[in-house]
Amino acid sequence: MFSAVDYYAGDPILGLMEKYKADQNPKKVNLGVGVYYDNDGILPVLECVKKAEAQIANPVKARPYLPMEGLAGHRLACQELLFGKGAKVLEENRVATIATIGGSGALKVGAEFINQWFPQSKCYVSDPTWGNHIAIFENADVEVGKYPYYDAQTGGVKFDEMIAFFNTLNKDDVLLLHPCCHNPTGVDLTQAQWDIVLNLVQEKGLVPFMDIAYQGFGEDMEADVYAIRKAVDMGLPLFVSNSFSKNLSLYGERVGGLSVVCPTEDEATRVFGQLKFGVRRIYSSPPSHGGHVVDIVMNDDALNAEWVEEVYAMRDRIQQMREQLRAVLESKVEGRDFSYLTTQKGMFSFTGLTPEQVAKLQSDYAIYLVGNGRMCVAGLNTNNIEYVANAMADVLK
Ligand code: KET
């Protein structure tokens, strides 16, 4: 009966995790999936999360169905983090926010909404982007195109080409943008470049869809949302999908949010209703545990402050690993520029390694990078960095 069902080739990122797990080499290093490990190679449980979980567990609480939009405190947490506590746009009730099953769920619900209400719109993603962006939008029957972004020659952004391309788009076309810590390149726009992009978005009537999965890992909590707040200040309609997977180290809980900034309160009410309806059709309502953790940590001043410090500690350790890897590689490999390691932002570095070199790292050294040369720098630590640098030097020979 199922012999006509296609084999699944596996996901280029999540499939790597499966391979890594099965690898018996004691020296194996996981630099594939975007997950932060501490200097002992362990997935941390944040202190603020432990405290929140203690509150949830004692006494153990009943688990009713959540509303379709998720917990009010979870939604408020998304809004205040993205738009700022007391932001005018929040006071004016112009933001429709639902709690979602991670950033992935937010993208899915947003993509379905766009397909239903803006069926003519195409969605344009950066070249390259997180592979699942394309998959999620196409799976929602939204046509996906690519805009020029990463310049392999300079390691920067093809800014002029990108702007020229945006100029060819139609009103209501959607631009999938990464406000910080671009995945997979780690190459972000400057604030001056954001201003130019957003002015053009306004002029052409394009619709920004900002996907932020790494808030706090780039510059800081505020600077990382510069583009989001600027778009709001300019009065642009805006979609924002956000994830707490990385910055709360809550990967398996899959907590995130989808916010749609609308011109008026009435429109926000309509959009909010349709987002709820969208959720009902896909998974009815979100699970509750992760939402409670978000609610408790984010809405308690002391826990929130503790959380920010813990995120900055993760950010700083990644930065140290960037600097150390750059120094070791510069001492081992002549005639190659490794400055990208310290200029790129967030969890990822786009190494420029070819698929063959990435394959050799995996087969000869049990070091796992994504096939496009993306390295999750957060998988490096003081125990494995020399091993990784030697292996990279070898495959670059
Ligand atoms: N957006 C971006 C840009 C992103 O990198 C991820 C996850 C998500 C959304 C998904 O968020 P979540 O809350 O986990 O549903 N990226 C990492 C994990 C993955 O591929 O699933 C990664 O790129 O390795």
Side-chain angles (χ1 to χ4, degrees):
M1 178 171 176
F2 302 116
S3 59
V5 174
D6 287 341
Y7 286 105
Y8 176 45
D11 183 78
I13 298 176
L14 298 184
L16 266 189
M17 269 176 71
E18 296 167 16
K19 261 190 122 173
Y20 171 82
K21 264 197 173 157
D23 196 320
Q24 298 295 320
N25 187 332
K27 296 197 131 160
K28 65 182 179 176
V29 184
N30 184 4
L31 306 177
V33 69
V35 170
Y36 176 90
Y37 296 99
D38 66 16
N39 195 51
D40 296 320
I42 291 174
L43 182 74
V45 182
L46 301 190
E47 290 304 317
C48 58
V49 169
K50 284 184 198 162
K51 290 176 188 168
E53 300 214 310
Q55 286 185 33
I56 295 169
N58 189 20
V60 172
K61 299 190 180 57
R63 284 169 183 73
Y65 283 133
L66 295 196
M68 292 169 270
E69 70 273 22
L71 290 171
H74 177 168
R75 294 166 45 230
L76 180 71
C78 294
Q79 293 186 334
E80 294 191 335
L81 191 59
L82 297 169
F83 306 106
K85 220 176 176 152
K88 194 158 154 272
V89 73
L90 298 180
E91 280 174 4
E92 292 169 353
N93 297 316
R94 289 198 289 113
V95 187
T97 300
I98 59 164
T100 57
I101 302 188
S104 304
L107 286 157
K108 171 68 175 167
V109 175
E112 292 288 351
F113 178 92
I114 286 164
N115 179 49
Q116 183 173 1
W117 298 100
F118 299 90
Q120 304 304 326
S121 296
K122 275 185 76 170
C123 175
Y124 291 88
V125 300
S126 61
D127 182 19
T129 193
W130 182 51
N132 219 22
H133 281 151
I134 300 168
I136 288 173
F137 276 85
E138 284 186 342
N139 186 245
D141 286 333
V142 178
E143 205 182 320
V144 177
K146 289 182 181 169
Y147 59 82
Y149 189 78
Y150 180 69
D151 187 343
Q153 299 298 318
T154 63
V157 175
K158 291 179 178 166
F159 191 72
D160 294 342
E161 264 184 68
M162 180 176 82
I163 291 294
F165 184 83
F166 289 165
N167 256 310
T168 67
L169 301 183
N170 298 317
K171 185 177 174 308
D172 291 343
D173 276 342
V174 176
L175 290 186
L176 202 298
L177 302 161
H178 306 218
C180 68
C181 306
H182 185 269
N183 180 4
T185 68
V187 179
D188 289 334
L189 298 182
T190 63
Q191 294 192 351
Q193 288 174 325
W194 276 117
D195 292 349
I196 296 171
V197 167
L198 293 174
N199 279 328
L200 187 58
V201 161
Q202 189 159 45
E203 207 178 289
K204 303 274 306 176
L206 305 175
V207 182
F209 194 132
M210 301 205 189
D211 181 32
I212 181 159
Y214 304 91
Q215 188 173 353
F217 284 93
E219 303 277 336
D220 58 47
M221 291 294 170
E222 304 283 312
D224 288 355
V225 289
Y226 173 81
I228 292 172
R229 296 197 185 166
K230 175 79 186 188
V232 171
D233 286 348
M234 290 170 67
L236 297 174
L238 171 69
F239 290 74
V240 185
S241 49
N242 76 289
S243 167
F244 291 111
S245 296
K246 335 276 172 173
N247 60 15
L248 268 167
S249 194
L250 274 183
Y251 305 87
E253 295 300 343
R254 292 228 165 262
V255 264
L258 174 66
S259 298
V260 185
V261 181
C262 303
T264 63
E265 180 173 353
D266 176 59
E267 284 161 280
T269 305
R270 293 163 188 266
V271 171
F272 185 56
Q274 288 301 324
L275 296 180
K276 287 167 58 165
F277 188 32
V279 165
R280 178 58 164 153
R281 283 174 294 185
I282 309 174
Y283 55 85
S284 287
S285 63
S288 57
H289 182 79
H292 281 298
V293 175
V294 168
D295 178 10
I296 294 170
V297 171
M298 297 292 162
N299 295 315
D300 177 289
D301 286 347
L303 287 181
N304 190 302
E306 189 173 352
W307 168 68
V308 171
E309 288 313 310
E310 293 192 86
V311 177
Y312 290 169
M314 293 192 277
R315 174 200 65 189
D316 293 348
R317 197 190 79 75
I318 295 172
Q319 188 57 28
Q320 284 162 15
M321 290 301 108
R322 289 181 174 283
E323 281 157 22
Q324 284 185 31
L325 185 64
R326 177 179 173 182
V328 191
L329 281 170
E330 279 173 351
S331 72
K332 288 182 197 293
V333 185
E334 270 174 39
R336 199 177 163 109
D337 184 10
F338 292 105
S339 59
Y340 67 82
L341 280 165
T342 51
T343 52
Q344 294 171 352
K345 289 273 186 292
M347 277 196 185
F348 304 120
S349 244
F350 215 41
T351 59
L353 293 181
T354 63
E356 295 72 34
Q357 289 166 334
V358 170
K360 189 160 191 266
L361 279 179
Q362 200 182 110
S363 59
D364 294 7
Y365 296 96
I367 296 173
Y368 289 76
L369 268 69
V370 181
N372 60 8
R374 188 191 83 173
M375 171 197 286
C376 178
V377 187
L380 293 173
N381 57 55
T382 46
N383 300 311
N384 66 21
I385 199 162
E386 193 76 27
Y387 176 70
V388 170
N390 279 329
M392 279 180 75
D394 179 40
V395 303
L396 284 168
K397 268 203 309 249

